[in-house]
Amino acid sequence: MNGGLLVAGTTSDAGKSVVTAGICRWLVRRGVKVAPFKAQNMSLNSFVTREGAEIGRAQAMQAQAARVEPSALMNPVLLKPGGDRSSQVVLMGRPVGEMSARGYHGGRQEALLGTVTDCLEQLRGTYDAVICEGAGSPAEINLRRTDIVNMGIARAARFPVLVVGDIDRGGVFASFFGTTALLSPEDQSLVAGYLVNKFRGDVSLLEPGLDMLLGLTGRRTFGVLPYAHGLGIDEEDGLRVSMRGAVRESVVAPPHGEDVLRVAVCAVPLMSNFTDVDALAAEPGVVVRFVDRAEELVDADLVIVPGTRGTVKALAWLRERGLADALLRRAAEGRPVLGICGGFQVLGEHIEDDVESRAGRVEGLGLLPVRVRFGREKVLARPVGTALGEPVEGYEIHHGVAEVSGGEPFLDGCRVGSVWGTHWHGSLESDAFRRAFLTEVARAAGRRFAAAPDTSFGALREEQLDRLGDLIEEHADTDALWRLIETGAPEGLPFVPPGAPPAPALASGTSGRPAPDGRGFAGTGRESADVTVTEEAP
C-alpha cells in the first residue's frame, strides 16, 4: 500500500486536525505504517522535534496518533503571526525571515511547492500511507493560484480529498455544495466526498439531506461523527485548550485533597504554546481559566504568564490592563507566579530587543534577577534535567537569551520566593515534577490541595487519541475510506457548476513561478535571506 488522503474543511476549525489524527490512529491500529503531513501551518503553538526542528504542535500530536516520531518533513512550512500583518516564516524547522501576507501570497508561497512536494514524496517513500491536513478552506478562490496546502498539494500528489464540515455551526449542506462548486474541474475531480463532524441527534433525520447532497454533487458522505465532549487536541490557535476542554466539558474528578487549586493564565497578545497548561487542567481539583482583567487574579492560587510571540507587546498589555501591578502585589505577598518563555522574560529586570519588536531596551517587571537580550538566531532545543527533586523534560523556542544573576536555579531559569521563571515549554507534562510543583504552589497559597498520585498526562493523551480513532472506526465507512486511501478518488465524478472563477492577477513584480533552481524565497524583515527551498529536513 502506498496511498494517501487530503483532509480538507469547509472552514477553519471544521475539525481537520481531529479527523486527521483520528484517521492516523485508526490506520496504525490496523497495522498500517502511517504519517501525518501539513504542507503549511499558521500557528503560534509549535513543538521542537528531537532533531531540533520547529513544527506545528498539531502535527506533533498527529504523529503521536500515528505512533511515529515527528519530523520537519511533516510540516515543512510554519507561519508564526507576529502582528502588523506579518509572520515569521519557519522553513524545514528553521526560521528564515519575516514576511507580510501580501508578500507571501504574492508568489513566494508558490515557490515553496517544490519543497513541500519533496517532503511529501520522502514520507511516501517511508510510510504505507500519508494523511494530509489542509488549511482553512480549499475554496479560498482569491488564494488558489498560490495554494500549496489544499488543492495545490492534492493535485500535485494526485490525492483524493475528503471535505469535513462542522454541522454544529449550521449550514453544512450549503458549505459542502459551495466548497465543491467553487473549485475548478481539475480540482473537483479529486474531491471524493464529505465527512460530517459534531452531529447531535438522530442520524436518520440527517440521511435524507445526505441523499440529496449525493444527488446534487455526485459525491457520497463517508461518515457522520457525533459531537463528543473533551476531544480537543493541541490547537493551532484560539483558547480551546485540549485537556482544559476535557475537564470543563466532562465529569470533573473531585480533588484528591480538601481544596481545589485555581490557576489563572494571563491571555497575553500573540500567546504561544498555551498548551503548556493542559497538564495542569488534567489534574483532579485544578481549575484553569484564561483571564485579561486584574480583578480576575485576586482569587487565583497560581498565576501563569505564558509564552508569546511578542514579549514587549505582552509587557505593555500587562501594564495597560493593570495586570502588571497585580503581579507585583502577588509577589510582594508571597503568592505564586510562574512565567514561561516570553512570560519568564517579562518577569525579569529588563529586555534588550532589536529583533522581535525592535524596541531596544525595555524595563521588565523586576520580579526575577534576569536580563534578556534578543538574538537573531532562534533557540530550538529539547532539554532534560531535574527540578524540585524530580526529572523534567521540555522544549525551548525563543529568541530571547536570559542572563540569570541570582535566585534559586529552576530549570534554565530561576526562582525567587514564590515567583518562578523558565524558558522550558512542556515541563508540566512530566508527572512527578508537576505534582511536586503543585505541592509547592498549594503550600504557598495556603490551600489544602493534594496532587493525585496516579495522574499520567501521557496516558490521558493516549486515551484521547484512542477516542479519536474510535470515532473514525465506529462512525465512518472505514472500508470506503480504506479504498479511497489505497486507490484514490473515484473516476467520473461529475462537475458541479459554476466552478472556479478566473484567478486574480498576482501582485506587481511577482511572477508566481518558482525559480528553476528552487530559490526565490526571501523574507522582508531584518532576518531575511535567500533560502534554497529544496533543502532536506534536518
Side-chain angles (χ1 to χ4, degrees), residues 43-63:
S43 179
L44 288 172
N45 285 335
S46 58
F47 180 77
V48 179
T49 69
R50 295 199 182 279
E51 294 77 16
E54 184 180 8
I55 65 172
R57 271 199 69 97
Q59 279 61 65
M61 177 279 308
Q62 290 162 354

PDB file of all heavy atoms in Angstrom, residues 43-63:
ATOM      1  N   SER A  43       0.322  28.991  12.964  1.00  0.00           N
ATOM      2  CA  SER A  43       0.023  28.733  14.367  1.00  0.00           C
ATOM      3  C   SER A  43       1.092  29.329  15.255  1.00  0.00           C
ATOM      4  O   SER A  43       2.260  29.422  14.875  1.00  0.00           O
ATOM      5  CB  SER A  43      -0.063  27.223  14.612  1.00  0.00           C
ATOM      6  OG  SER A  43      -0.322  26.956  15.976  1.00  0.00           O
ATOM      7  N   LEU A  44       0.674  29.708  16.452  1.00  0.00           N
ATOM      8  CA  LEU A  44       1.610  30.127  17.485  1.00  0.00           C
ATOM      9  C   LEU A  44       1.898  28.994  18.454  1.00  0.00           C
ATOM     10  O   LEU A  44       2.655  29.169  19.412  1.00  0.00           O
ATOM     11  CB  LEU A  44       1.065  31.344  18.242  1.00  0.00           C
ATOM     12  CG  LEU A  44       1.086  32.653  17.444  1.00  0.00           C
ATOM     13  CD1 LEU A  44       0.365  33.757  18.190  1.00  0.00           C
ATOM     14  CD2 LEU A  44       2.511  33.072  17.132  1.00  0.00           C
ATOM     15  N   ASN A  45       1.278  27.856  18.246  1.00  0.00           N
ATOM     16  CA  ASN A  45       1.549  26.673  19.062  1.00  0.00           C
ATOM     17  C   ASN A  45       2.457  25.750  18.271  1.00  0.00           C
ATOM     18  O   ASN A  45       2.044  25.149  17.287  1.00  0.00           O
ATOM     19  CB  ASN A  45       0.247  25.939  19.416  1.00  0.00           C
ATOM     20  CG  ASN A  45      -0.531  26.675  20.484  1.00  0.00           C
ATOM     21  OD1 ASN A  45       0.033  27.427  21.268  1.00  0.00           O
ATOM     22  ND2 ASN A  45      -1.831  26.455  20.523  1.00  0.00           N
ATOM     23  N   SER A  46       3.691  25.633  18.707  1.00  0.00           N
ATOM     24  CA  SER A  46       4.651  24.825  17.967  1.00  0.00           C
ATOM     25  C   SER A  46       5.387  23.877  18.900  1.00  0.00           C
ATOM     26  O   SER A  46       5.210  23.914  20.120  1.00  0.00           O
ATOM     27  CB  SER A  46       5.641  25.719  17.204  1.00  0.00           C
ATOM     28  OG  SER A  46       6.325  26.584  18.089  1.00  0.00           O
ATOM     29  N   PHE A  47       6.211  23.038  18.304  1.00  0.00           N
ATOM     30  CA  PHE A  47       6.881  21.954  19.013  1.00  0.00           C
ATOM     31  C   PHE A  47       8.271  21.801  18.421  1.00  0.00           C
ATOM     32  O   PHE A  47       8.512  22.176  17.271  1.00  0.00           O
ATOM     33  CB  PHE A  47       6.064  20.663  18.837  1.00  0.00           C
ATOM     34  CG  PHE A  47       6.629  19.450  19.522  1.00  0.00           C
ATOM     35  CD1 PHE A  47       6.484  19.282  20.894  1.00  0.00           C
ATOM     36  CD2 PHE A  47       7.308  18.473  18.802  1.00  0.00           C
ATOM     37  CE1 PHE A  47       6.995  18.160  21.530  1.00  0.00           C
ATOM     38  CE2 PHE A  47       7.823  17.353  19.434  1.00  0.00           C
ATOM     39  CZ  PHE A  47       7.669  17.199  20.804  1.00  0.00           C
ATOM     40  N   VAL A  48       9.192  21.250  19.198  1.00  0.00           N
ATOM     41  CA  VAL A  48      10.551  21.011  18.714  1.00  0.00           C
ATOM     42  C   VAL A  48      10.777  19.505  18.611  1.00  0.00           C
ATOM     43  O   VAL A  48      10.603  18.776  19.593  1.00  0.00           O
ATOM     44  CB  VAL A  48      11.595  21.646  19.650  1.00  0.00           C
ATOM     45  CG1 VAL A  48      13.007  21.358  19.132  1.00  0.00           C
ATOM     46  CG2 VAL A  48      11.381  23.152  19.751  1.00  0.00           C
ATOM     47  N   THR A  49      11.154  19.055  17.430  1.00  0.00           N
ATOM     48  CA  THR A  49      11.434  17.638  17.222  1.00  0.00           C
ATOM     49  C   THR A  49      12.775  17.274  17.860  1.00  0.00           C
ATOM     50  O   THR A  49      13.560  18.144  18.250  1.00  0.00           O
ATOM     51  CB  THR A  49      11.477  17.289  15.731  1.00  0.00           C
ATOM     52  OG1 THR A  49      12.647  17.890  15.155  1.00  0.00           O
ATOM     53  CG2 THR A  49      10.236  17.790  15.008  1.00  0.00           C
ATOM     54  N   ARG A  50      13.059  15.987  17.927  1.00  0.00           N
ATOM     55  CA  ARG A  50      14.329  15.546  18.516  1.00  0.00           C
ATOM     56  C   ARG A  50      15.525  16.022  17.701  1.00  0.00           C
ATOM     57  O   ARG A  50      16.636  16.138  18.219  1.00  0.00           O
ATOM     58  CB  ARG A  50      14.352  14.030  18.654  1.00  0.00           C
ATOM     59  CG  ARG A  50      13.317  13.504  19.639  1.00  0.00           C
ATOM     60  CD  ARG A  50      13.624  12.114  20.116  1.00  0.00           C
ATOM     61  NE  ARG A  50      12.587  11.636  21.031  1.00  0.00           N
ATOM     62  CZ  ARG A  50      12.514  11.949  22.311  1.00  0.00           C
ATOM     63  NH1 ARG A  50      13.422  12.750  22.841  1.00  0.00           N
ATOM     64  NH2 ARG A  50      11.542  11.470  23.070  1.00  0.00           N
ATOM     65  N   GLU A  51      15.302  16.320  16.415  1.00  0.00           N
ATOM     66  CA  GLU A  51      16.382  16.837  15.581  1.00  0.00           C
ATOM     67  C   GLU A  51      16.537  18.346  15.718  1.00  0.00           C
ATOM     68  O   GLU A  51      17.385  18.951  15.050  1.00  0.00           O
ATOM     69  CB  GLU A  51      16.126  16.501  14.105  1.00  0.00           C
ATOM     70  CG  GLU A  51      16.172  15.025  13.770  1.00  0.00           C
ATOM     71  CD  GLU A  51      14.911  14.284  14.190  1.00  0.00           C
ATOM     72  OE1 GLU A  51      13.886  14.950  14.458  1.00  0.00           O
ATOM     73  OE2 GLU A  51      14.952  13.049  14.260  1.00  0.00           O
ATOM     74  N   GLY A  52      15.690  18.977  16.551  1.00  0.00           N
ATOM     75  CA  GLY A  52      15.801  20.417  16.758  1.00  0.00           C
ATOM     76  C   GLY A  52      15.060  21.248  15.736  1.00  0.00           C
ATOM     77  O   GLY A  52      15.394  22.422  15.522  1.00  0.00           O
ATOM     78  N   ALA A  53      14.033  20.700  15.091  1.00  0.00           N
ATOM     79  CA  ALA A  53      13.239  21.425  14.105  1.00  0.00           C
ATOM     80  C   ALA A  53      11.918  21.859  14.724  1.00  0.00           C
ATOM     81  O   ALA A  53      11.292  21.110  15.486  1.00  0.00           O
ATOM     82  CB  ALA A  53      12.977  20.551  12.879  1.00  0.00           C
ATOM     83  N   GLU A  54      11.469  23.049  14.373  1.00  0.00           N
ATOM     84  CA  GLU A  54      10.208  23.574  14.888  1.00  0.00           C
ATOM     85  C   GLU A  54       9.080  23.263  13.915  1.00  0.00           C
ATOM     86  O   GLU A  54       9.159  23.594  12.728  1.00  0.00           O
ATOM     87  CB  GLU A  54      10.318  25.088  15.093  1.00  0.00           C
ATOM     88  CG  GLU A  54       9.084  25.712  15.723  1.00  0.00           C
ATOM     89  CD  GLU A  54       9.210  27.211  15.924  1.00  0.00           C
ATOM     90  OE1 GLU A  54      10.191  27.800  15.436  1.00  0.00           O
ATOM     91  OE2 GLU A  54       8.313  27.801  16.567  1.00  0.00           O
ATOM     92  N   ILE A  55       8.017  22.627  14.421  1.00  0.00           N
ATOM     93  CA  ILE A  55       6.838  22.317  13.610  1.00  0.00           C
ATOM     94  C   ILE A  55       5.593  22.651  14.424  1.00  0.00           C
ATOM     95  O   ILE A  55       5.665  22.923  15.625  1.00  0.00           O
ATOM     96  CB  ILE A  55       6.799  20.835  13.178  1.00  0.00           C
ATOM     97  CG1 ILE A  55       6.641  19.912  14.395  1.00  0.00           C
ATOM     98  CG2 ILE A  55       8.045  20.473  12.386  1.00  0.00           C
ATOM     99  CD1 ILE A  55       6.403  18.449  14.029  1.00  0.00           C
ATOM    100  N   GLY A  56       4.434  22.631  13.777  1.00  0.00           N
ATOM    101  CA  GLY A  56       3.190  22.886  14.476  1.00  0.00           C
ATOM    102  C   GLY A  56       2.890  21.793  15.497  1.00  0.00           C
ATOM    103  O   GLY A  56       3.152  20.611  15.255  1.00  0.00           O
ATOM    104  N   ARG A  57       2.321  22.184  16.634  1.00  0.00           N
ATOM    105  CA  ARG A  57       2.001  21.199  17.670  1.00  0.00           C
ATOM    106  C   ARG A  57       0.946  20.209  17.185  1.00  0.00           C
ATOM    107  O   ARG A  57       0.936  19.050  17.591  1.00  0.00           O
ATOM    108  CB  ARG A  57       1.509  21.905  18.939  1.00  0.00           C
ATOM    109  CG  ARG A  57       2.623  22.278  19.887  1.00  0.00           C
ATOM    110  CD  ARG A  57       2.111  22.534  21.290  1.00  0.00           C
ATOM    111  NE  ARG A  57       1.643  21.318  21.925  1.00  0.00           N
ATOM    112  CZ  ARG A  57       2.358  20.576  22.763  1.00  0.00           C
ATOM    113  NH1 ARG A  57       3.610  20.926  23.038  1.00  0.00           N
ATOM    114  NH2 ARG A  57       1.854  19.499  23.315  1.00  0.00           N
ATOM    115  N   ALA A  58       0.041  20.667  16.328  1.00  0.00           N
ATOM    116  CA  ALA A  58      -0.987  19.752  15.826  1.00  0.00           C
ATOM    117  C   ALA A  58      -0.358  18.598  15.065  1.00  0.00           C
ATOM    118  O   ALA A  58      -0.790  17.445  15.169  1.00  0.00           O
ATOM    119  CB  ALA A  58      -1.988  20.496  14.946  1.00  0.00           C
ATOM    120  N   GLN A  59       0.704  18.881  14.299  1.00  0.00           N
ATOM    121  CA  GLN A  59       1.354  17.797  13.552  1.00  0.00           C
ATOM    122  C   GLN A  59       2.136  16.884  14.491  1.00  0.00           C
ATOM    123  O   GLN A  59       2.225  15.679  14.255  1.00  0.00           O
ATOM    124  CB  GLN A  59       2.274  18.379  12.477  1.00  0.00           C
ATOM    125  CG  GLN A  59       1.539  18.804  11.226  1.00  0.00           C
ATOM    126  CD  GLN A  59       0.506  19.888  11.496  1.00  0.00           C
ATOM    127  OE1 GLN A  59       0.872  20.994  11.875  1.00  0.00           O
ATOM    128  NE2 GLN A  59      -0.777  19.583  11.321  1.00  0.00           N
ATOM    129  N   ALA A  60       2.709  17.450  15.559  1.00  0.00           N
ATOM    130  CA  ALA A  60       3.381  16.607  16.549  1.00  0.00           C
ATOM    131  C   ALA A  60       2.377  15.673  17.217  1.00  0.00           C
ATOM    132  O   ALA A  60       2.659  14.492  17.450  1.00  0.00           O
ATOM    133  CB  ALA A  60       4.085  17.466  17.593  1.00  0.00           C
ATOM    134  N   MET A  61       1.178  16.199  17.515  1.00  0.00           N
ATOM    135  CA  MET A  61       0.140  15.369  18.110  1.00  0.00           C
ATOM    136  C   MET A  61      -0.328  14.297  17.134  1.00  0.00           C
ATOM    137  O   MET A  61      -0.558  13.138  17.507  1.00  0.00           O
ATOM    138  CB  MET A  61      -1.030  16.259  18.544  1.00  0.00           C
ATOM    139  CG  MET A  61      -2.232  15.546  19.119  1.00  0.00           C
ATOM    140  SD  MET A  61      -3.353  14.841  17.873  1.00  0.00           S
ATOM    141  CE  MET A  61      -3.617  16.266  16.825  1.00  0.00           C
ATOM    142  N   GLN A  62      -0.477  14.652  15.855  1.00  0.00           N
ATOM    143  CA  GLN A  62      -0.888  13.669  14.853  1.00  0.00           C
ATOM    144  C   GLN A  62       0.162  12.577  14.681  1.00  0.00           C
ATOM    145  O   GLN A  62      -0.176  11.411  14.460  1.00  0.00           O
ATOM    146  CB  GLN A  62      -1.169  14.374  13.523  1.00  0.00           C
ATOM    147  CG  GLN A  62      -2.424  15.240  13.561  1.00  0.00           C
ATOM    148  CD  GLN A  62      -2.473  16.256  12.433  1.00  0.00           C
ATOM    149  OE1 GLN A  62      -1.529  16.406  11.664  1.00  0.00           O
ATOM    150  NE2 GLN A  62      -3.579  16.988  12.345  1.00  0.00           N
ATOM    151  N   ALA A  63       1.441  12.961  14.800  1.00  0.00           N
ATOM    152  CA  ALA A  63       2.496  11.952  14.758  1.00  0.00           C
ATOM    153  C   ALA A  63       2.359  10.998  15.939  1.00  0.00           C
ATOM    154  O   ALA A  63       2.562   9.781  15.794  1.00  0.00           O
ATOM    155  CB  ALA A  63       3.869  12.622  14.772  1.00  0.00           C
TER     156      ALA A  63
END
